[in-house]
Amino acid sequence: MADTSTTTTGVGGFLPEDYAQLVMRPVFAEGIAYQASTILRTDSHEVHFPIIDTDPAAGWTPEGTEISVADPTYAEVVATPAKVAAIHTITNEMVFDSNPAALGVAGASLKRSLINSIDGAFFAATTPTNAPDGLGALEGVQEISGELTSLDPFAEAITQVEGAGGIVTSFVLSRADLLTLLKLKDQADSNRILLGIDANQPTRRTALGVPVLATPALATGTAYAISRADTFVVTRNDATVEADRSVKFTSDQTVLRAIARVAFAFPAPARIARITFTTEPEA
């Protein structure tokens, strides 16, 4: 993100100028919400997504006659980025160490905090306090249920989303449900797993050709089929990482603060499927 900046307060230029990139760039690359969605960067306080409620009617018209007029109707979804922030305290010995690996320890901590907060809001069943509404609060999605004993619920999700005009570009599950999927075999008495594996990317898994992602932010028993073109993470371009050692002057420490402003937008909820896994009946 081009505007992501590193600033210091009363400490001189002791951090590498690209320190913020150690924090913010991995957030965008590793956050599951970002991986599953279209990333929209903005300088605005809010972003408006137009929605066409009804398409204009087309009809067969004789040559030379007036085409009937039927205007479409519009609505909109407004996304207002909310502030998500994290603070990490490090010793000044680490600050003045020019080894990027040393500073990377603090950067990784800030990164994890931001990813956990953003993914947590995006996938939470109940919206966290002060966070933007995510998938858990979204109404009008395709509701799918089935046992996690085959890929049938995923096939149904693909069909329902495509019927609404979307294309499923990722499935997102809890880590426990991903483990269950990884244990499924393609047939009885086989050791071949049901999920697809990319030989060039061993950690990349697919179900019915669609990438499968896992996050601790999702509760076990719920998964999402997401159409990236219809799912947005809006990020304000004023994300910053700042440092101040005056606050911890007496303990010879520096406080690092990372701030980003993020919102979510789902202009076409029907192009997202919420999959609820039912418990397999006991024999």
Side-chain angles (χ1 to χ4, degrees), residues 12 17 40 47 74 86 94 126-128 155 175 177 216 224 247:
E17 64 178 356
L40 179 63
V47 177
Y74 295 90
M94 180 180 290
T126 302
T127 303
R175 288 178 176 170
D177 286 333
Y224 284 94
V247 177

Side-chain angles (χ1 to χ4, degrees), residues 27-257:
V27 169
F28 303 134
E30 299 175 26
I32 300 300
Y34 284 98
Q35 291 183 48
S37 308
T38 298
I39 302 173
L40 179 63
R41 296 179 173 87
T42 181
D43 291 319
S44 303
H45 171 68
E46 59 185 23
V47 177
H48 295 246
F49 293 85
I51 302 171
I52 299 178
D53 283 336
T54 59
D55 293 324
W60 299 101
T61 306
E63 296 295 339
T65 63
E66 292 290 332
I67 299 173
S68 60
V69 177
D71 293 332
T73 59
Y74 295 90
E76 68 176 10
V77 169
V78 180
T80 304
K83 182 170 69 175
V84 57
I87 285 181
H88 186 87
T89 301
I90 58 177
T91 65
N92 284 334
E93 286 82 3
M94 180 180 290
V95 169
F96 287 103
D97 189 340
S98 60
N99 184 349
L103 289 173
V105 172
S109 176
L110 284 173
K111 175 203 72 176
R112 287 192 299 270
S113 295
L114 291 175
I115 288 176
N116 289 340
S117 293
I118 294 170
D119 282 355
F122 189 83
F123 294 105
T126 302
T127 303
T129 303
N130 300 322
D133 285 338
L135 290 169
L138 187 61
E139 298 180 353
V141 301
Q142 306 289 341
E143 297 287 357
I144 310 294
S145 63
E147 296 177 6
L148 191 53
T149 55
S150 71
L151 297 183
D152 288 354
F154 302 92
E156 185 176 352
I158 289 174
T159 302
Q160 295 295 335
V161 169
E162 288 182 351
I167 298 176
V168 176
T169 51
S170 64
F171 293 114
V172 184
L173 301 82
S174 71
R175 288 178 176 170
D177 286 333
L178 174 61
L179 178 59
T180 299
L181 266 184
L182 286 170
K183 291 181 177 180
L184 296 181
K185 304 303 187 287
D186 63 351
Q187 61 184 27
D189 301 322
S190 171
N191 288 322
R192 294 188 300 270
I193 65 173
L194 195 57
L195 286 185
I197 300 294
D198 188 335
N200 296 318
Q201 301 179 60
T203 60
R204 185 176 185 268
R205 305 162 182 108
T206 62
L208 303 174
V210 177
V212 175
L213 305 173
T215 174
L218 260 178
T220 301
T222 299
Y224 284 94
I226 296 175
S227 172
R228 178 180 288 110
D230 303 288
T231 306
F232 296 85
V233 176
V234 181
T235 304
R236 282 269 296 274
N237 282 336
D238 57 357
T240 59
V241 176
E242 298 179 299
D244 191 334
R245 65 180 174 132
S246 63
V247 177
K248 295 285 186 178
F249 178 79
T250 57
S251 58
D252 194 30
Q253 297 182 95
T254 292
V255 175
L256 299 177
R257 183 185 69 189

